[in-house]
Amino acid sequence: MKEVNKTVKWVLWIIWLAVFPSGLYFAYQVSPLQEFDWTIVISVVCLAVISAYLPFKVDHSTIFIIHWINLAAFLTYGLFFEMLLMQIVLVPLLFRARMTFKTLYRFPLNSTMFMLISLLAGLVFYQIGIDVSDGFWPLMLASGIYIFIHIFANHIYLYVFNWIIGNRYSFLSSDTKLDYAATMLSMPFGLALYYLLVLLGPAATLLLGIPFLAVTLILRLYNTAERVNIDLAKSAKIGHQLAERLNVNEVLDLFTNKLAELMPLDYTYVLDVHTNRDELVLLRRIENGQLEPNNLSPVRKGEGISGKVWETGDAMLFGKKTEWVEEVEGYIPADIESIICVPIQRDKKTVAVLLAASKKKNAFGTHLIAILEILCSYLAIAMQNARNYQRNIKRSERCALTGLYNFRYFNEQLEKEFSRLEKGHMNALSLILLDIDHFKKVNDTYGHESGNDLLKELAGVLIETAGGDALIARYGGEEFVLLLSEQTKEEAQMIGEKIRCAVENTIFEIQHDLSKKREMSKIQMTVSIGVASSPEDTDSYKNLLRNADRALYIGAKQKGRNKVAVYAK
């Protein structure tokens, strides 16, 4: 929804200043308010004001059914009274629609619209030439035309205005059709109110008004209950979808996307509890439908809205800025009005916090707290399951000692990359096999645990030296293997030489477990490296590994160690 600029707002006020007094004057000339019963006037005004303040919702449509009352007012006292009534009704309508100072332009917009539409509908009614004394059916036909002009002209007026300011939408949406149907169906109530006013006076507004308002309230309650049931069904469906995701980012993406479908959201923040640092850290940040970086400062327990929700474990709901502005500490967008903040709990313990916000006032119903608490419990379980799954996957893929990939995972990736090579999706695939020179001597001198420490340190050197270019795995014992996609044999040889030099120039620090004092010792070591490539050397992924092994032992180990050797046919 595009905002109305200042120029358009000033134009609306200027038009209103020109139309309002002249419109009232013209209406009075056409249909002056002469003899009238003050009790009837007051009762009709009261009924209209109450009806305007009690709309009901069907799906996402807010319906104000007041045209039946202004029809009765028009038939009873003419155009001038009906026009005055519509201007009075405008106040509770805008108040109920939560008009702010920023949207004050809606008053001249709607006031002018009501006045022009009343004039158009009244003049057409008079031109038809049907009088209230002409009988029921002619009056019903004229009344139907009068009501239709009201709703159709209202539709055209708002559509054209939105088109001018750049808000384009379907001319005849489902909400518009619903508004047409509800307004036209209210026309018989307007005729009935007119006849009863003639017969009973102000008592007619009670006779028809009370049942009508009661039905409106029942529809509101029914729609609220229906909305709760629908949202509960949606939350259960979302819960099942979350349970199917086994990646934390996928879980968060699905949750925030579905949340935006469930609620009128402009901002969504998911904050994770870090108990070791006693703070909330941002996991996901959605602003105006866009994923933003998680670069906001952490929140301490008890600080701001999310910090208090973490501390108390209780949800918080605010309908407008004045309610929460004193609660806020740190970052929050200036255009937020409504806020709902819910703890994400697992086993009755808060593990994260959800803060959702809207630019509209009173955007969230109180029933959404219960819905969100259910959804957040699904989220907590889904995230934990995804983290456990990813942790287990990592364990199954990684060497427990070095943190590098294990050979089983490496072999799977080698097959996949070789398949890509065979299908022409890459031009070269190279492999580096590395072995520590005289590693047995390290174990015999310093102890096997010290040897393990050395393996861990070497893994760090490999990651630092070639981690950006290669998939690195522990082949077994003191051997390591690197898979290089889209790297030729010459490029792989250069990377191997870079690794060899890095290892040779590194001083490794390990504990001397076999000495009495178990002091820290500094040692240096070297590695021998074999390189093979495909399709240059072989067309089989198994042979690629064998060729690298052959280059390692024949080309490097047997020729003095601390060398990089390439496979030669």
Side-chain angles (χ1 to χ4, degrees):
M1 183 73 176
K2 293 186 178 180
E3 293 187 1
V4 178
N5 60 47
K6 289 183 179 180
T7 303
V8 174
K9 292 176 182 179
W10 277 110
V11 170
L12 289 172
W13 280 106
I14 291 169
I15 292 173
W16 179 80
L17 288 172
V19 170
F20 186 76
S22 57
L24 284 178
Y25 176 78
F26 181 75
Y28 187 80
Q29 296 301 314
V30 172
S31 175
L33 186 61
Q34 295 175 346
E35 296 182 6
F36 61 90
D37 185 337
W38 273 108
T39 57
I40 291 177
V41 169
I42 292 172
S43 64
V44 170
V45 169
C46 290
L47 179 61
V49 168
I50 295 170
S51 296
Y53 197 72
L54 292 176
F56 63 92
K57 284 189 176 184
V58 177
D59 292 331
H60 298 288
S61 303
T62 302
I63 300 176
F64 298 89
I65 303 182
I66 57 173
H67 287 295
W68 67 284
I69 302 173
N70 71 284
L71 171 62
F74 175 77
L75 294 176
T76 305
Y77 290 126
L79 177 60
F80 181 71
F81 175 61
E82 186 270 343
M83 189 178 288
L84 281 177
L85 178 66
M86 290 302 291
Q87 295 299 313
I88 293 170
V89 164
L90 179 60
V91 176
L93 272 176
L94 293 178
F95 183 78
R96 189 68 178 78
R98 305 185 183 100
M99 183 180 69
T100 63
F101 182 79
K102 190 177 180 179
T103 59
L104 197 60
Y105 70 89
R106 291 164 66 183
F107 175 78
L109 172 68
N110 287 279
S111 177
T112 304
M113 177 183 71
F114 282 177
M115 185 159 288
L116 293 176
I117 292 172
S118 292
L119 282 172
L120 177 63
L123 292 176
V124 170
F125 185 93
Y126 292 144
Q127 282 296 314
I128 293 173
I130 295 176
D131 190 76
V132 292
S133 60
D134 289 341
F136 173 76
W137 291 110
L139 185 59
M140 185 172 181
L141 175 63
S143 297
I145 294 172
Y146 174 87
I147 290 286
F148 180 79
I149 290 172
H150 261 279
I151 186 64
F152 183 72
N154 178 76
H155 179 200
I156 294 293
Y157 184 94
L158 291 177
Y159 182 82
V160 170
F161 172 76
N162 279 284
W163 189 86
I164 290 172
I165 66 172
N167 292 323
R168 309 296 167 85
Y169 54 84
S170 174
F171 180 76
L172 201 62
S173 65
S174 57
D175 289 354
T176 305
K177 294 175 184 177
L178 186 62
D179 200 14
Y180 271 80
T183 304
M184 292 304 298
L185 288 172
S186 72
M187 186 268 293
F189 288 93
L191 276 178
L193 179 59
Y194 162 68
Y195 284 122
L196 286 173
L197 284 171
V198 172
L199 291 174
L200 303 175
T205 58
L206 297 176
L207 195 63
L208 261 183
I210 290 176
F212 188 87
L213 294 174
V215 170
T216 300
L217 288 171
I218 291 170
L219 285 173
R220 282 163 59 92
L221 292 172
Y222 172 78
N223 186 70
T224 300
E226 189 70 15
R227 184 77 261 166
V228 171
N229 289 335
I230 292 172
D231 288 345
L232 282 171
K234 285 183 178 179
S235 65
K237 186 176 180 181
I238 294 170
H240 291 308
Q241 292 173 329
L242 288 172
E244 295 170 357
R245 301 299 191 274
L246 294 175
N247 180 282
V248 173
N249 285 328
E250 289 181 4
V251 169
L252 287 169
D253 288 340
L254 177 65
F255 178 78
T256 51
N257 290 338
K258 293 298 181 181
L259 207 61
E261 295 175 10
L262 188 67
M263 304 162 56
L265 292 181
D266 295 301
Y267 301 92
T268 306
Y269 304 94
V270 180
L271 301 101
D272 194 28
V273 171
H274 280 210
T275 51
N276 56 332
R277 298 203 300 264
D278 201 34
E279 61 188 19
L280 287 171
V281 177
L282 202 58
L283 273 181
R284 188 63 91 242
R285 175 186 174 194
I286 310 291
E287 296 186 348
N288 298 309
Q290 299 295 319
L291 179 64
E292 301 291 342
N294 298 332
N295 56 2
L296 302 181
S297 300
V299 177
R300 306 290 295 179
K301 183 177 283 190
E303 290 180 350
I305 296 171
S306 53
K308 288 180 180 176
V309 168
W310 175 24
E311 183 177 49
T312 63
D314 297 324
M316 299 178 77
L317 174 64
F318 303 97
K320 49 190 176 182
K321 184 179 290 188
T322 54
E323 295 176 0
W324 55 259
V325 69
E326 294 183 0
E327 302 276 352
V328 170
E329 295 180 31
Y331 172 86
I332 196 162
D335 56 355
I336 284 179
E337 285 288 347
S338 302
I339 291 178
I340 187 167
C341 191
V342 178
I344 300 172
Q345 296 185 327
R346 188 178 66 250
D347 299 327
K348 297 182 179 180
K349 183 180 179 181
T350 300
V351 295
V353 172
L354 166 69
L355 189 146
S358 171
K359 298 175 184 177
K360 297 179 181 178
K361 290 185 178 181
N362 301 308
F364 310 127
T366 53
H367 78 282
L368 283 175
I369 291 178
I371 301 296
L372 285 182
E373 286 177 340
I374 294 171
L375 272 177
C376 285
S377 66
Y378 287 137
L379 175 64
I381 295 169
M383 285 182 62
Q384 185 62 34
N385 289 342
R387 283 170 173 165
N388 289 338
Y389 177 79
Q390 289 177 304
R391 192 179 296 117
N392 290 334
I393 288 292
K394 186 176 180 180
R395 286 174 180 171
S396 68
E397 294 175 348
R398 299 279 180 170
C399 163
L401 176 65
T402 63
L404 299 176
Y405 289 109
N406 57 33
F407 183 71
R408 181 189 62 78
Y409 177 80
F410 176 85
N411 210 42
E412 290 174 358
Q413 297 306 307
L414 177 60
E415 284 189 59
K416 289 179 182 178
E417 292 299 279
F418 215 93
S419 176
R420 290 181 61 217
L421 180 68
E422 290 177 327
K423 293 175 181 177
H425 297 161
M426 69 169 70
N427 298 316
L429 181 65
S430 296
L431 192 147
I432 293 175
L433 191 60
L434 175 152
D435 182 79
I436 300 174
D437 296 328
H438 305 298
F439 184 70
K440 184 177 182 300
K441 185 178 179 180
V442 174
N443 285 335
D444 292 342
T445 304
Y446 299 96
H448 286 84
E449 282 302 312
S450 299
N452 286 341
D453 291 339
L454 188 63
L455 292 174
K456 287 188 282 187
E457 288 194 50
L458 176 59
V461 173
L462 293 177
I463 293 170
E464 186 177 344
T465 308
D469 300 309
L471 187 152
I472 309 172
R474 186 182 179 193
Y475 186 63
E478 68 272 23
E479 291 184 321
F480 297 83
V481 62
L482 292 82
L483 182 64
L484 299 101
S485 302
E486 289 289 9
Q487 302 278 359
T488 64
K489 183 188 287 188
E490 290 75 18
E491 290 170 331
Q493 184 179 5
M494 290 174 62
I495 294 172
E497 184 62 29
K498 183 180 177 183
I499 293 170
R500 188 197 66 77
C501 291
V503 174
E504 185 180 29
N505 295 323
T506 298
I507 296 175
F508 297 90
E509 192 170 334
I510 60 175
Q511 185 171 293
H512 195 324
D513 286 337
L514 301 184
S515 67
K516 291 182 179 181
K517 295 182 179 179
R518 304 185 69 182
E519 70 276 3
M520 299 301 295
S521 299
K522 294 179 179 180
I523 67 169
Q524 288 182 283
M525 66 175 180
T526 60
V527 293
S528 296
I529 295 172
V531 178
S533 184
S534 183
E536 185 176 346
D537 296 331
T538 181
D539 57 0
S540 163
Y541 79 90
K542 290 182 179 180
N543 286 338
L544 182 63
L545 194 55
R546 289 193 179 101
N547 291 344
D549 193 35
R550 182 178 177 84
L552 168 63
Y553 281 95
I554 296 177
K557 288 282 187 182
Q558 291 181 9
K559 293 185 178 181
R561 295 182 173 85
N562 192 23
K563 298 181 183 299
V564 177
V566 296
Y567 174 76
K569 294 182 180 179

